[in-house]
Amino acid sequence: MMMKEKVVDGFHNAPHRSLYHALGYTEEEMARPLIGVVCSYNEIVPGHMNLDKICDAVKMGIAMAGGTPITFPAITVCDGIAMGHVGMKYSLVTRDLIADSTEAMVMAHGFDGLVMIPNCDKNVPGLLMAAARLNIPTVFVSGGPMLAGRVGGKKRSLSSMFEAVGAYNAGKISECELTEFEKKVCPTCGSCSGMYTANSMNCLTEVLGMGLRGNGTIPAVYSARIELAKHAGMQVMELVKKNIRPRDIMTAAAIKNAITADMALGCSTNSMLHLPAIANECGVEFNLDEVNAISEKTPNLCHLAPAGPTYMEDLNEAGGVYAVLAEIDKLGLLDTSVMTVTGKTMAENIKDAKNLDDSVIRKVDNPYSQTGGIAVLRGNLAPDGCVVKRSAVAPEMLVHSGPAKVFESEEECIAAIYGGKIQKGDVVVIRYEGPSGGPGMREMLSPTSAIAGMGLDKDVALITDGRFSGATRGASIGHVSPEAVSGGPIAYVKEGDIISIDIPSYSIKLEVSDEEMEKRKKEMTIKKKEVSGYLKRYAAMVSSADKGAIINK
């Protein structure tokens, strides 16, 4: 039985049909499958300003294949614009608003299938969560990545812009040079051009089997992106006919494939928040410890910005996500029997994929490292784990020990960095920025970029119960769990405490005795912020980062 039969078919649904007539729908359109087109178009996010064109193409594809497209919106926050102020508290929290509001719209109106049109950081995982929860035939097509900018004859991106601010503050570049960065690093619409969170999740949408080939990499301004959108509209009709649903596709094996591809691609650490949340909606258990086991077997093949000098446009020209999958499949690391929205298995999808540029996608026998791009560290500072993008860490910082500089918020830390109070060898600790304690688990791109721009990324580590942007590079360790507001050990770190980090050994240790820690727990007070509105409800319900910062049922 199709969903629309509950809404528009039969004499008892005549009142519903009268409202469709009010919208201008014909009887012929109501007789066809009703396909919801969830479009995140807006005029504030660069990655979304072209989604009206994508939406039009999707609708054309649906109509060509015999369906009736019906559009409704989803929200999104631009992390770059929200960065470094209260607005970042409202970024991660939108992931659940997006999932919940999409569920409400679909359940209220009885769609037979869906095409999701996201592009940026929380928008993609939020809609993947909704797709799994609703479990009706669904295809994803994103707005595509931005082209890289060019400054001084080199490709640049948003992370370059944030680092330029640090360089200017340190007197390394002039105001004129800073202005040149400002005007050139983001030259087109699209999700920012490096392997940041948005592009990480769009690439993983291909790996999960929910997007067509090229969804993660075809640049936003390419006409091929419009063609892809038309094919997504046509393909959802095939899924409706065959009754292929998201939970048939996003299985435990598909989630494991996504972790594996994440390691090879060098994705954002935020994937370690979003994949557990998506898995939760799919009814799949996500074990954070399995991440390191997969990482040990998976070579890191890509160093896209901010880890290296290549960009999404380069990955696209090198063969895209399918080429990466074909490369790591040589090692037998993938379950290629999984179903995808193409109606074919991953094995069928990637059989003809070729690596066209091994300077962008390295061969498996010549990786950047034998281990994957992300590592989960544990120790007495983070008993439930913390996460680092090790592929973006300088070799000399993979093992580091230094004195703690402790800050109760991102703003305090930024003031100290620009005030010249951070020295080589320091371990910067930013606490009370976790999912509940922040609330909202702000990204810390401003402090990490300031440190990188000042040339300290090979000398200073940062640790937080908040999170870091996909545009972050350096020894930036986030998602410390339990978080400070929950009484995690990070709440009891004092200025000057020695913190030892050993990324290859997956270890992070506060060099303080158990007896001293127990004493501090009795003497030090946990700090809770006064918040209101949605943030108050979110803080009360959200889980810890190691569980994916999901809203507890």
Side-chain angles (χ1 to χ4, degrees), residues 25 29 32-37 55 58-60 62-63 67-71 111:
Y25 287 102
E29 286 174 301
R32 296 175 172 185
L34 304 181
I35 308 299
V37 181
C55 185
V58 166
K59 290 168 71 176
M60 184 176 289
I62 292 168
T68 298
I70 303 174
T71 306
F111 296 106

Side-chain angles (χ1 to χ4, degrees), residues 36 38 70 117 135 162 167-168 181 245 312 380 390 409 412 429 465 471 506 508:
V38 190
I70 303 174
I117 310 177
N135 202 34
F162 275 89
Y168 173 73
F181 271 90
R245 299 168 180 253
M312 295 304 296
N380 66 344
R390 67 171 155 193
S409 70
E412 283 186 23
V429 176
D465 54 4
Y506 307 112
I508 185 165

Side-chain angles (χ1 to χ4, degrees), residues 437-496:
M441 204 178 182
R442 287 194 288 181
E443 287 185 344
M444 305 290 172
L445 180 56
S446 294
T448 59
S449 297
I451 283 174
M454 294 165 73
L456 293 173
D457 58 296
K458 296 179 180 179
D459 301 290
V460 173
L462 293 96
I463 298 172
T464 183
D465 54 4
R467 59 196 177 96
F468 292 111
S469 166
T472 291
R473 63 185 174 95
S476 302
I477 300 166
H479 308 192
V480 170
S481 300
E483 61 176 296
V485 79
S486 299
I490 193 172
Y492 305 108
V493 178
K494 288 187 175 182
E495 195 86 3

Side-chain angles (χ1 to χ4, degrees), residues 55-98:
C55 185
D56 288 345
V58 166
K59 290 168 71 176
M60 184 176 289
I62 292 168
M64 285 193 295
T68 298
I70 303 174
T71 306
F72 65 91
I75 64 168
T76 194
V77 164
C78 178
D79 279 20
I81 295 174
M83 196 71 66
H85 58 90
V86 68
M88 183 46 72
K89 292 179 183 287
Y90 286 89
S91 173
L92 179 60
V93 303
T94 63
R95 188 186 69 183
D96 296 276
L97 282 175
I98 291 162

Side-chain angles (χ1 to χ4, degrees), residues 10 34 91 133 169 182 224 292 357 364 499 508 512 541 552:
L34 304 181
S91 173
R133 191 184 300 175
N169 187 74
E182 179 184 332
N292 286 344
D357 188 343
V364 289
I499 296 175
I508 185 165
V512 171
M541 295 187 292
N552 289 316

Side-chain angles (χ1 to χ4, degrees), residues 360-402:
V360 177
I361 305 169
R362 287 198 173 185
K363 304 287 188 182
V364 289
D365 57 2
N366 181 37
Y368 284 101
S369 65
Q370 294 294 339
T371 52
I374 288 178
V376 175
L377 314 183
R378 290 187 187 270
N380 66 344
L381 184 60
D384 294 335
C386 55
V387 179
V388 62
K389 185 173 180 175
R390 67 171 155 193
S391 59
V393 178
E396 51 266 55
M397 286 298 292
L398 289 170
V399 178
H400 179 77
S401 186

